[in-house]
Amino acid sequence: MIAGFLQTNPVFGDIAGNVEKASAMITGMRADLVVLPELFSTGYQFISRQEITDLAEDIPSGPTTQRLIGLSRQRSCYIVAGLAERAGGRCYNSAVLTGPEGFIGVYRKSHLFFEERLWFAPGDTGFRVWKTAIGAIGIMICFDWFFPESARTLALRGAEIIAHPANLVLPHCPDAMVTRCLENRVFAVTANRVGTEKRGDKDRLSFIGRSEIASPHGQILCRASEEGEECATAEILPAQAQSKDLNEYNNLFDDRRPELYQG
Ligand code: ACM
């Protein structure tokens, strides 16, 4: 199966334009799974509660999720995309999974980074894995990578592919994801954004690009540039993530010693 990502540079607040651009990119790709960046439709640097309330959408009834469902049906592909969700008087930094069968599910970011804590409620979905026709897909969002428990939990719950929408500003994640894949024997598709945002009197944020697809054996199957809007794909075999045997004596999951671990 073919997995891919979009690396985009959204214009803050221009949901229609950002969704249109991403749709055109997806339409030009041949992929079974496409991962889009975190908050791909709105941009990242919110500066007021009013702004986030105005730009967040209901999931799945909102226009962005509906558009992704339409694209998944048209292109016969699965899409994971990060967007701002409004639910029950709160806003979440969320990601949806859609497929040819329609809306599949939502994940709400567990570990909020920096000023996200001003605008978003901490995610309450937990780490979720969906068994689909192309493999078992788990989702985590950006800063979740800093907590190895995120990827570990997804792997223990059966994820073969970790879809990882991101808006990375720190430099470490692209290399760290190689370790996350190696220590959990999973594939990961990190879709990051590029460009900068400087809104109101906030400090300028620069996003690092370098979206990538990494394999259970720690290979980088493809990696994007630091600055360009681009898409890329790699052919993967999700079933390769199923065996956790390292050799005839060691198994990644069976050898764990949870009784020695804290928390
Ligand atoms: C991040 O979690 N967007 C850095």
Side-chain angles (χ1 to χ4, degrees):
M1 80 97 156
I2 297 177
F5 58 74
L6 301 191
Q7 176 166 289
T8 56
N9 184 5
V11 175
F12 188 91
D14 181 11
I15 294 181
N18 296 330
V19 172
E20 202 48 52
K21 188 192 271 179
S23 304
M25 288 171 86
I26 292 170
T27 303
M29 290 170 78
R30 196 172 71 79
D32 302 295
L33 168 67
V34 185
V35 183
L36 277 61
E38 177 183 16
L39 298 170
F40 90 96
S41 54
T42 55
Y44 183 78
Q45 197 176 36
F46 294 93
I47 55 174
S48 73
R49 194 158 285 280
Q50 190 59 48
E51 209 171 54
I52 179 68
T53 309
D54 290 348
L55 291 171
E57 297 184 27
D58 292 344
I59 292 175
S61 61
T64 300
T65 308
Q66 288 300 310
R67 183 70 184 273
L68 295 169
I69 292 168
L71 276 166
S72 274
R73 289 207 165 110
Q74 249 173 33
R75 306 294 304 165
S76 253
C77 70
Y78 291 82
I79 298 174
V80 173
L83 61 155
E85 178 188 11
R86 193 171 42 218
R90 295 171 162 213
C91 293
Y92 297 95
N93 184 340
S94 297
V96 293
L97 171 62
T98 63
E101 60 268 57
F103 176 71
I104 298 174
V106 63
Y107 163 71
R108 294 172 174 161
K109 187 175 183 177
S110 302
H111 304 99
L112 297 173
F113 181 70
F114 193 52
E115 291 182 340
E116 289 171 34
R117 299 178 79 109
L118 302 176
W119 320 123
F120 295 109
D124 57 0
T125 54
F127 294 101
R128 308 183 66 192
V129 177
W130 293 269
K131 287 212 157 73
T132 74
I134 56 166
I137 300 173
I139 302 179
M140 64 183 196
I141 299 178
C142 203
F143 189 50
D144 283 332
W145 79 266
F146 225 106
F147 301 84
E149 295 87 349
S150 310
R152 176 67 97 200
T153 302
L154 288 170
L156 287 169
R157 291 183 176 166
E160 295 163 345
I161 309 155
I162 294 180
H164 183 209
N167 273 191
L168 295 162
V169 290
L170 302 176
H172 319 288
C173 179
D175 291 338
M177 285 308 292
V178 170
T179 306
R180 293 288 167 278
C181 289
L182 201 55
E183 69 199 4
N184 292 296
R185 270 278 172 95
V186 292
F187 290 92
V189 183
T190 297
N192 191 26
R193 62 162 288 177
V194 290
T196 63
E197 282 186 7
K198 163 130 187 60
R199 308 205 50 255
D201 58 5
K202 302 279 182 199
D203 290 341
R204 179 178 302 278
L205 295 176
S206 297
F207 301 96
I208 67 161
R210 296 163 72 208
S211 299
E212 75 182 15
I213 303 178
S215 84
H217 297 290
Q219 298 155 301
I220 297 168
L221 302 177
C222 60
R223 185 179 268 185
S225 70
E226 289 176 17
E227 289 179 355
E229 288 194 285
E230 51 201 271
C231 52
T233 57
E235 181 136 23
I236 66 170
L237 273 175
Q240 281 178 349
Q242 285 169 10
S243 168
K244 304 301 179 185
D245 290 336
L246 294 181
N247 56 48
E248 58 198 303
Y249 297 104
N250 295 114
N251 179 284
L252 268 181
F253 286 178
D254 295 345
D255 289 4
R256 295 174 67 241
R257 302 283 309 276
E259 72 280 12
L260 303 181
Y261 309 151
Q262 182 155 8

